[in-house]
Amino acid sequence: NAGVMQNPRHLVRRRGQEARLRCSPMKGHSHVYWYRQLPEEGLKFMVYLQKENIIDESGMPKERFSAEFPKEGPSILRIQQVVRGDSAAYFCASSPFDRHEQYFGPGTRLTVT
Amino acid sequence: KNEVEQSPQNLTAQEGEFITINCSYSVGISALHWLQQHPGGGIVSLFMLSSGKKKHGRLIATINIQEKHSSLHITASHPRDSAVYICAALNSGGGADGLTFGKGTHLIIQP
């Protein structure tokens, strides 16, 4: 059973470009969580999704950020018009049920130049 | 909003020592995670517990719900245990299932 997969592992974007981060949950998991770790800071919750639904996006910046988890395929975290402050490690985690242990992916390290 | 505090922030110990990392939180939770983040950045879930004690190999995690406190212990520590250890609270009640994280404890085990 493969673990949580994220790609790309490293992503470099110039200011103003779009970044798309993908997360494939563990097999059988229908709950996905996205977290952000800014340099020298702790992890912060961004968004919680179930298949085709955003359950809680209270941690998402109001502009430029969006997330989806379609019926088929990976969850996508999309950042439009990236700025230097978006440079961070983005982790996703998945779980089979709510209130269950979460399993983390290896992260995507986004660098905005 | 839950506040999660960890102590110590940094800990350096000699190989073989018994290690304790503490975590306290401000509001009721349904569960608490202990995570390990390696120098390369990957995150591994060590434990999720909502009461009592769990043990896995040389790692032991305890939680006291009344005191809103949890501890992670490492017995017979080894240099490969060097990592950042993070506790994360899953809030009880309705609302977000997202975790609230402590700032982490940087552990270095010297040979």
Side-chain angles (χ1 to χ4, degrees), chain B residues 51-101:
Chain B
S51 65
K53 177 178 169 178
K54 283 191 176 180
K55 185 175 189 291
H56 185 253
R58 295 181 295 106
L59 300 176
I60 303 165
T62 63
I63 189 166
N64 185 317
I65 296 294
Q66 286 75 28
E67 294 187 4
K68 297 187 176 61
H69 180 268
S70 176
S71 293
L72 177 69
H73 305 284
I74 306 173
T75 61
S77 60
H78 191 276
R80 65 174 173 266
D81 297 325
S82 299
V84 177
Y85 291 84
I86 304 167
C87 71
L90 182 62
N91 296 335
S92 59
D97 265 16
L99 299 170
T100 302
F101 299 87

Side-chain angles (χ1 to χ4, degrees), chain A residues 3-8 20-26 29-34 49-53 66-78 92-94 108:
Chain A
V4 178
M5 298 177 69
Q6 290 187 248
N7 69 79
R20 279 184 183 242
L21 288 61
R22 293 175 190 77
C23 170
S24 296
M26 287 179 72
H29 288 196
S30 58
H31 298 247
V32 166
Y33 312 80
W34 284 95
L49 309 106
Q50 294 177 25
K51 285 281 187 183
E52 299 185 278
N53 286 304
S66 62
E68 63 176 12
F69 188 16
K71 188 176 178 182
E72 301 290 338
S75 175
I76 306 282
L77 179 68
R78 182 179 175 213
C92 83
S94 74
T108 293

Side-chain angles (χ1 to χ4, degrees), chain A residues 37 56 98-99 101-102 109, chain B residues 30 37 41 45 91 96-97:
Chain A
Q37 187 173 40
D56 180 2
D98 62 349
R99 309 273 139 185
E101 187 166 6
Q102 296 179 24
R109 275 145 192 86
Chain B
S30 61
Q37 187 167 28
S45 177
N91 296 335
D97 265 16

Side-chain angles (χ1 to χ4, degrees), chain A residues 4-105:
Chain A
V4 178
M5 298 177 69
Q6 290 187 248
N7 69 79
R9 296 289 302 275
H10 299 274
L11 181 61
V12 179
R13 285 286 178 265
R14 286 197 295 272
R15 276 180 297 169
Q17 290 185 316
E18 178 179 287
R20 279 184 183 242
L21 288 61
R22 293 175 190 77
C23 170
S24 296
M26 287 179 72
K27 189 176 179 182
H29 288 196
S30 58
H31 298 247
V32 166
Y33 312 80
W34 284 95
Y35 299 97
R36 178 166 68 172
Q37 187 173 40
L38 291 165
E40 307 303 321
E41 292 191 24
L43 287 150
K44 295 277 195 306
F45 167 75
M46 298 183 77
V47 63
Y48 163 39
L49 309 106
Q50 294 177 25
K51 285 281 187 183
E52 299 185 278
N53 286 304
I54 296 174
I55 306 302
D56 180 2
E57 55 182 347
S58 59
M60 288 273 271
K62 292 285 183 280
E63 295 174 353
R64 301 187 297 107
F65 285 71
S66 62
E68 63 176 12
F69 188 16
K71 188 176 178 182
E72 301 290 338
S75 175
I76 306 282
L77 179 68
R78 182 179 175 213
I79 312 171
Q80 294 178 288
Q81 299 174 331
V82 295
V83 300
R84 288 224 171 100
D86 297 332
S87 295
Y90 292 83
F91 291 93
C92 83
S94 74
S95 66
F97 313 107
D98 62 349
R99 309 273 139 185
H100 194 275
E101 187 166 6
Q102 296 179 24
Y103 298 87
F104 284 76

